[in-house]
Amino acid sequence: MVDRREFMRGAALGALAFTVGGAQVLLTPRQARAQGVPFRLLAAREAQTLEAIGETLVPGARAAGIAHFIDHQISVPPDEALLEARILNVRPPYANFYKAAIGAIDKAAAAQADQRFAWLPVHAQREFVNLMRQNKLEGWQAPPAAGFVYFVLRSDAVDVVYGTVEGYAELGIPYQAHIVPLKRW
């Protein structure tokens, strides 16, 4: 079990409690990805799509651990989630929204190019995301509009890439210990 002091120190650095080998440890989503921490709720295929779309939306999202971040956040109580979906009043459980969005992305990609989004060439992924942003994707079959899903996933990708101490540094913003980088509601 992670004690309060360790938790507070980790939270200031953007760390989350992941279970590794049966023990809870504080890791950033980037560290969780690098260590191959198993997903709680996402299937490998869903994580692959999420990483590909995250990387297309915000370069660096894959390495920053977008799939681990979202997987972690959809598995915590809804009032603790740090997801854009929560801010936009998406009805919990958030796993339903993200899984439906991932499924819709892959179905629309298959309708357009006969393959999953993660397998599309980079230029095709960018074109797909541009159409998604404009709500002009053919084959979109999900209750949230494509543009809404684009906004939510882009916001989450921005948070995981730039809402960290490293992200602040990359942007040239001095990190201040009293400011918690990741969203805290």
Side-chain angles (χ1 to χ4, degrees), residues 128-137 146-148 150-151:
F128 181 98
V129 165
N130 187 42
L131 292 171
M132 185 180 175
R133 177 183 59 82
Q134 299 174 62
N135 277 325
K136 293 183 178 180
L137 270 177
F148 182 76
Y150 164 89
F151 180 78

Side-chain angles (χ1 to χ4, degrees), residues 17-30:
F18 288 91
T19 303
V20 179
Q24 272 197 332
V25 294
L26 289 177
L27 300 170
T28 65
R30 178 182 302 278

Side-chain angles (χ1 to χ4, degrees), residues 9 12 31 34 46-47 51 55 59 66 68 87 90 93 96-97 118 128 130 135 142 144-145 167 182:
R9 184 176 36 237
Q31 292 167 329
E46 293 169 324
E51 285 187 344
E55 186 68 20
I66 182 78
H68 282 84
I87 299 302
V90 169
N96 293 348
F97 170 83
F128 181 98
N130 187 42
N135 277 325
L182 284 176

Side-chain angles (χ1 to χ4, degrees), residues 145-164:
F148 182 76
V149 171
Y150 164 89
F151 180 78
V152 171
L153 293 178
R154 183 174 177 275
S155 297
D156 289 335
V158 167
D159 285 345
V160 81
V161 172
Y162 296 110
T164 63

